[in-house]
């Protein structure tokens, strides 16, 4: 008699096994099967432990080698402002665009690192969030398909370059994915039990997801799509309404704090909403197809698709839930004009679960096959996928710097060093003109000096309302309101026009190079040379 | 052996000689410049044009400014007649008010200080504008500067007259001639300037001139048109010995060199600066003047010289504007009316208003004391130094660029951080409570049944429906 995954999951629990022996003795369960179940549980736990250890190692490896990128600087700057840091609060207003749950948590930890060590502390918190997501993926996978699937899904997510890279940074997408995975788990529990209390809990989880980043609200569409697609899941509309009400209550701190805390948050939030609704696309439609599959792992995606193909006859609520959890955000962000590398991160855990389920299913079929008897297939396939995830993850977290930069993909080489040089060597109150607002944010965080991006449009419809444009750069340079010009290769790669414009200002206003940050790059002849990535000019009328 | 010894001795002597000739002159050159008695190794002096203290800082908090209830009679002989109260100039047009010695004496009116409008009407000017003043709205950069450094509110122009005398006092502590004009033959060798003293002691100095034209001197100023002002504002161009001696003449340089000297670390010990278009001379733009001064101070702050420097800004005369403090009479020439003056230095007292009685020769006095020079004349020998404005017991202050925007007096309230902590804390608590409630409820239902999982499994198998596929359940 073979035990299904549910049996193994239940009996495999050490607590249940130890207390159940008298009952087992009275029932005709094969003892050998029970021993096998216990061994399998140990293997699953080992896989989970491996996932957590490897995930931690990948996320912590040289985590603070490079300084913060622009988005990280903004979120940590907001946290510093919430914590009342007198310097950084001058440059980073508390209210910008997003809810403040993660910034609030960072603010609580801000005193640990202080101004100088906050980047490391913030990134460690992000790593913790990432590992918590890995664990929740394990729980969700276990809940949906059993412990073996949960453990393998956790391993896949722990090694996945997409999740590794994003959760090494202080970004909101990591916490949002944690909230999304928690909600997925809670919805799964509701679907499995049909007990309304889990639906309420899922509402609370969705509220947390929103508080981490407002785009998490899209997953509400996933839940409703799931409930619509799975008629076998019975629920009362009253419970659904109550769950939605709980979500609204958990979300309430966002509008309440904007309204009650003053500080210009309400106006800025409205401006940001208008801008987001009408802004121009920032990437081509091919952006996600060309970047995200490679970051998730092509073999993992193929395996997940294969798993869906294998499950086509069963097509249970589990598959429907995972498909809804993946499809709705994908469709939304693909059609939304604003695209960002990390925006699709919430689809990573359900994809990992699907792939893990496919691996387990294939393994079971291979083991059951009278011809193959290939018990080794599942471990081999899982190992192969894990390897295809580990290698790119390891490659991406190496310290080799690049003169190009994709937002959300990591720290900015030389940014922290340039900022610290600015703080040490330029007068307090000095103002900097940069190619774009990204380097301006980094200068403000590390340099404690005001930075303004030349590329910020004077047209309010075409700029992020949190950024101030330089209305007349010539006038401001001539009148000494801007005293330094900072060129960086990362912004220059994205805005060659403004890069050249900035350099023309440096030439026109007696620009004198006062500092350069370089990174080692491989020249065409194979030799390693130092290439400037950030150049600071002193200018004067 | 003897030859070898002789050769060795000779080579050693040669080497010593080479060392001596190579090193000693450099050491001598370094030692030639006397070390100052204070940490100030660079004194930079800028002279702008034609404003009185009350015109610029008459409403500055804490300064000896415009008294309450002042109303300047249009005719001092008729005290009960029409009078003009001080008013904010704002965007009103201004004109170049007469600032001759005669007008100064009429405005002074024997110490009654009631002729500021009348004296100008005697010169066919309407005169009302003399009672106007600027404040932080118009002079945000200057007001911000003195918030952080030192403002002198008893700083008098040296002579009751215009530019020529006052510029001469600025460099020579004497008027140079009995009349407030440049003598046709220039100033003789009997007029000693601070630069003569510096030259004698081997102390480096330069005179920087904005838009400098080296062909314009007292001999050619008639051909200079409006640019001839450089001859008045740089008195050295009226000394034959300074313009005929190439070595001395090379110390008078365009202002661009000020910036390159700062960049190259070659700023001299004493630097005098005069403007051209940005002099603030009415009706010139005071905003342009502030930007000019800002560019000079910012360049200094960006250089290594900042930590050893003092930058003094003053104005050559009162320009015909109202000032309420009668100038003390110290000799036949002065003092003249008060002028704005402020000091920027890493050693300057912070936000300090210095009430010491000073004039242009007080700057000379400080230079002389700092480098141990003899006084130039009786005036500087008797003058108070500006040294009270410094606090050398404190470490030098790091440079800080002063904003050109004046902060509003009404402080904007910051965001209430407590609201954020409370709101998000409540959100987390609520979510945690609901999720925790679900978990506890689930455990409670499961109870303490030790064989719950297998019982649940058995029950489930019995009633398993083929069309409903379900995953794990704890019900």
């Amino acid at each position: 008699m073979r035990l299904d995954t549910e049996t193994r999951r239940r009996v495999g629990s050490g607590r249940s096994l130890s207390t159940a022996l008298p009952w087992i003795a009275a029932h005709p369960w094969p003892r050998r099967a029970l021993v096998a179940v216990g061994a399998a549980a140990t293997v699953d736990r080992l896989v989970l432990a491996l996932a957590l250890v490897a995930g931690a190692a990948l996320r912590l490896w040289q985590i603070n080698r490079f300084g913060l990128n622009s988005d990280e600087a903004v979120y940590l700057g907001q946290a510093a402002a919430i914590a009342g840091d007198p310097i950084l609060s001058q440059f980073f207003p508390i209210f910008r665009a997003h809810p403040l749950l993660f910034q609030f948590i960072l603010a609580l930890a801000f005193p640990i690192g202080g101004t100088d060590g906050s980047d490391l502390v913030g990134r460690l918190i992000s790593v913790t969030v990432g590992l918590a997501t890995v664990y929740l993926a394990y729980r969700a996978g276990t809940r949906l398909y059993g412990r073996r699937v949960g453990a393998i899904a956790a391993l896949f997510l722990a090694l996945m370059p997409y999740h590794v890279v994003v959760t090494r940074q202080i970004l909101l997408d990591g916490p949002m994915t944690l909230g999304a995975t928690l909600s997925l788990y809670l919805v799964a529990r509701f679907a499995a039990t049909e007990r309304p209390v889990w639906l309420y809990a899922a509402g609370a989880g969705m509220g947390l997801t929103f508080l981490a980043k407002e785009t998490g609200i899209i997953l509400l569409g996933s839940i409703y799509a799931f409930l619509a697609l799975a008629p076998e899941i019975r629920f009362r509309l009253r419970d659904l309404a109550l769950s939605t009400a709980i979500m609204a209550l958990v979300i309430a701190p966002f509008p309440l704090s904007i309204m009650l805390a003053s500080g210009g948050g309400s106006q800025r939030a409205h401006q940001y909403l208008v801008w987001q609704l009408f802004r121009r696309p920032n990437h081509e439609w091919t952006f996600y197809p060309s970047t995200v599959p490679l970051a998730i792992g092509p073999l993992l995606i193929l395996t997940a698709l294969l798993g869906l193909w294998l499950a086509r006859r069963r097509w249970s609520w589990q598959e429907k839930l995972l498909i809804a959890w993946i499809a709705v955000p994908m469709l939304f962000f693909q059609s939304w004009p604003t695209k960002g590398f990390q925006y699709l991160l919430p689809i990573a855990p359900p994809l990992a679960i699907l792939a893990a389920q496919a691996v387990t299913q294939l393994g079971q079929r291979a083991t059951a096959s009278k011809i193959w008897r290939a018990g080794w297939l599942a471990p081999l396939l899982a190992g192969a996928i894990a390897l295809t995830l580990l290698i790119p993850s390891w490659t991406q977290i190496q310290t080799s710097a690049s003169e190009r930069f994709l937002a959300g993909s990591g720290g900015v080489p030389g940014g922290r060093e340039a900022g610290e040089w600015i703080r040490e060597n330029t007068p307090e109150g000095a103002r900097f003109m940069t190619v774009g607002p990204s380097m301006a944010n980094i200068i403000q965080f590390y340099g404690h000096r005001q930075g303004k991006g030349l590329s910020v449009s004077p047209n309010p419809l075409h700029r992020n309302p949190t950024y101030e444009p330089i209305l007349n750069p010539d006038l401001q340079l001539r009148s000494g309101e801007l005293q330094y010009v900072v060129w960086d290769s990362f912004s220059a790669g994205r805005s060659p026009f403004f890069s050249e414009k900035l350099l023309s200002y440096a030439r026109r206003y007696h620009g004198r190079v006062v500092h350069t940050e370089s990174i080692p790059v491989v020249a065409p002849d194979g030799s390693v040379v130092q290439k400037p990535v950030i150049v600071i000019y002193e200018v004067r009328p | 052996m003897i030859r070898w010894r002789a050769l060795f001795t000779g080579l050693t002597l040669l080497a010593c000689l080479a060392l001596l000739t190579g090193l000693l002159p450099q050491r001598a050159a370094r030692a030639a410049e006397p070390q100052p008695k204070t940490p100030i190794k660079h004194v930079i002096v800028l002279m702008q044009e034609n404003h009185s203290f009350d015109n610029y800082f008459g409403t500055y908090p804490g300064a000896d400014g415009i008294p309450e209830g002042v109303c300047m009679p249009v005719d001092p002989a008729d005290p009960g007649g029409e009078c003009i109260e001080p008013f904010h100039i704002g965007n009103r047009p201004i004109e170049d008010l007469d600032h001759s010695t005669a007008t100064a004496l009429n405005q002074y009116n024997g110490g009654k200080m009631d002729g500021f409008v009348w004296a100008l009407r005697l010169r066919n000017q309407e005169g009302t504008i003399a009672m106007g003043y600027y404040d932080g709205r118009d002079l945000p950069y200057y007001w911000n500067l003195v918030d952080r450094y030192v403002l002198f509110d008893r700083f008098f122009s040296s002579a009751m007259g215009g530019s020529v005398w006052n510029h001469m006092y600025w460099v020579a502590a004497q008027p140079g001639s009995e009349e407030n004009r440049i003598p046709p033959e220039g100033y003789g060798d009997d007029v000693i300037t601070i630069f003569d003293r510096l030259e004698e002691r081997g102390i480096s100095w330069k005179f920087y001139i904005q838009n400098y034209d080296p062909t314009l001197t007292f001999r050619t100023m008639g051909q200079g048109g409006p640019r001839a002002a450089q001859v008045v504002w740089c008195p050295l161009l009226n000394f034959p010995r300074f313009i005929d001696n190439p070595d001395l003449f090379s110390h008078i340089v365009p202002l661009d060199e000020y910036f390159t000297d700062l960049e190259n670390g070659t700023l001299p010990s004493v630097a005098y600066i005069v403007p051209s278009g940005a002099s603030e001379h009415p009706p010139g733009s005071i905003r342009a003047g502030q930007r000019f001064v800002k560019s000079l101070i910012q360049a200094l702050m960006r250089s290594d010289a900042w930590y050893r420097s003092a930058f003094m800004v003053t104005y050559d005369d009162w320009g015909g504007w109202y000032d309420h403090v009668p100038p003390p009479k110290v000799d036949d020439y002065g003092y003249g009316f008060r002028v704005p003056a402020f000091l920027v230095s890493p050693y300057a007292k912070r936000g300090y208003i210095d009430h010491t009685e000073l004039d242009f020769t007080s700057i000379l006095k400080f230079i002389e004391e700092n480098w141990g020079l003899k006084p130039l004349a009786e005036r500087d020998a008797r003058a108070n130094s500006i040294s009270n404005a410094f606090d050398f017991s404190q470490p030098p202050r790091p440079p800080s660029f002063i904003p050109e925007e004046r902060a509003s007096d009404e402080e904007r309230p910051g965001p209430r951080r407590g609201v954020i902590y409370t709101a998000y804390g409540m959100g987390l608590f609520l979510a945690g409570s609901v999720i925790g409630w679900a978990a506890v409820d689930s455990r409670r239902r499961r109870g303490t049944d030790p064989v719950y999982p297998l019982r649940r499994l058995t029950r489930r198998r019995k009633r398993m429906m083929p069309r409903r596929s379900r995953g794990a359940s704890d019900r």
Side-chain angles (χ1 to χ4, degrees), chain B residues 222-384:
Chain B
Q223 305 146 22
R227 284 184 300 144
Q230 79 169 31
V231 181
V232 177
W233 296 349
C234 173
L236 300 189
L237 296 173
N238 305 315
F239 285 80
R241 70 173 182 277
F242 276 95
I243 52 181
D244 294 337
N245 181 335
D247 187 37
L248 291 177
F249 195 59
S250 68
H251 289 259
I252 306 168
V253 294
L255 185 63
D256 283 351
E257 279 193 27
Y258 169 76
F259 297 102
T260 52
D261 282 341
L262 285 171
E263 287 171 5
N264 300 333
T266 52
L267 186 73
S269 298
V270 176
Y272 270 52
I273 302 174
V274 289
S276 176
S279 69
E280 301 168 53
H281 192 301
S285 163
I286 57 172
R287 186 162 286 272
Q290 286 180 98
R291 286 182 178 161
F292 170 67
V293 174
K294 187 168 83 171
S295 71
L296 300 173
I297 292 176
Q298 283 189 348
L300 176 64
M301 285 181 167
R302 285 199 290 207
S303 75
D304 295 336
W306 162 256
Y307 287 98
R308 304 177 299 277
S309 66
F311 194 107
M312 182 80 191
V313 182
T314 186
Y315 291 73
D316 73 332
D317 61 59
W318 88 116
W321 300 96
Y322 166 70
D323 191 79
H324 79 280
V325 177
K329 187 164 173 60
V330 292
D331 57 25
D332 291 342
Y333 296 95
Y335 292 144
F337 296 114
R338 289 187 309 168
V339 289
F342 43 91
L343 175 78
V344 178
S345 167
Y347 292 97
K349 292 175 181 172
R350 186 184 291 272
Y352 180 67
I353 300 175
D354 193 334
H355 307 300
T356 311
E357 192 172 287
L358 305 166
D359 77 322
F360 300 135
T361 62
S362 300
I363 304 168
L364 297 173
K365 179 92 169 185
F366 177 78
I367 295 171
E368 290 158 4
E369 288 177 349
N370 200 36
W371 278 279
L373 308 177
K374 284 187 297 183
L376 301 170
E378 193 182 339
R379 183 71 82 83
D380 61 326
R382 282 190 285 127
N384 293 316

Side-chain angles (χ1 to χ4, degrees), chain A residues 81 189 194 260 428 483 539, chain B residues 302 401 416-417 470 474:
Chain A
R189 289 206 74 159
E194 289 182 4
L260 300 176
E428 192 184 310
Q483 302 93 11
V539 288
Chain B
R302 285 199 290 207
F401 282 176
R416 288 188 285 271
R417 294 181 170 85
R470 294 189 172 220
D474 57 1

Side-chain angles (χ1 to χ4, degrees), chain A residues 120-352:
Chain A
L120 176 62
V121 173
R123 283 177 169 170
L124 290 177
I125 292 172
S126 276
V127 168
T128 309
V129 165
L131 293 176
T133 310
V134 169
Y135 180 72
L136 273 176
Y138 161 75
R139 294 298 300 265
T142 303
R143 180 61 53 184
L144 289 167
Y145 295 112
R147 182 144 43 197
R148 175 62 49 86
V149 171
I152 295 173
L155 182 66
F156 288 167
L157 189 64
L159 303 179
M160 187 186 289
Y162 197 24
H163 198 255
V164 168
V165 167
V166 175
T167 54
R168 282 168 60 92
Q169 304 169 62
I170 305 168
L171 296 176
L172 304 186
D173 303 86
M176 181 181 71
T177 303
L178 174 68
T181 312
L182 173 68
S183 303
L184 175 69
Y185 168 73
L186 295 170
V187 171
R189 289 206 74 159
F190 166 69
T193 63
E194 289 182 4
R195 291 228 320 276
V197 69
W198 289 114
L199 192 60
Y200 307 153
M206 281 303 299
L208 290 177
T209 309
F210 178 94
L211 283 187
K213 193 175 180 183
E214 73 283 0
T215 49
I217 200 72
I218 292 151
L219 293 169
L220 207 57
S222 299
I223 294 176
Y224 287 111
F226 163 63
L227 293 175
L229 290 170
E232 65 269 31
I233 307 298
R234 291 169 299 182
F235 63 91
R236 288 181 299 185
L237 280 177
R238 194 187 66 184
D239 293 330
L240 192 63
L242 194 57
S243 173
T244 310
I246 289 171
M247 183 188 75
L249 275 175
V250 175
I251 287 173
F254 177 49
L256 277 179
S257 58
I258 286 176
M259 283 189 293
L260 300 176
S262 73
S266 177
Q267 188 187 7
R268 202 169 291 121
H270 289 146
Q271 288 172 343
Y272 191 81
L273 181 66
V274 171
W275 176 68
Q276 281 288 26
L277 288 174
F278 296 105
R279 70 178 284 191
R280 294 171 178 165
N282 62 340
H283 285 291
E284 294 294 321
W285 70 270
T286 54
F287 176 74
Y288 287 127
S290 61
T291 56
V292 173
L294 286 173
I296 289 176
L299 186 57
L300 183 139
I301 293 172
L302 284 174
T303 310
L305 289 173
L306 181 63
L308 286 176
W309 171 256
L310 293 175
R312 68 190 183 283
R313 287 185 188 152
R314 182 161 52 103
W315 206 242
S316 63
W317 64 262
Q318 287 94 329
E319 284 78 34
K320 290 173 188 170
L321 176 60
L322 293 173
I323 291 291
W325 218 258
I326 294 166
V328 172
M330 268 182 63
L331 289 172
F332 177 84
F333 282 114
Q334 183 58 40
S335 52
W336 190 248
T338 311
K339 293 178 170 56
F341 170 72
Q342 70 275 28
Y343 290 1
L344 285 178
L345 193 66
I347 72 171
L351 265 173

Side-chain angles (χ1 to χ4, degrees), chain A residues 35-54:
Chain A
V35 171
V37 165
T42 307
V43 170
D44 295 341
R45 287 200 190 93
L46 283 174
V47 173
L48 174 65
L50 176 68
L52 291 173
V53 170

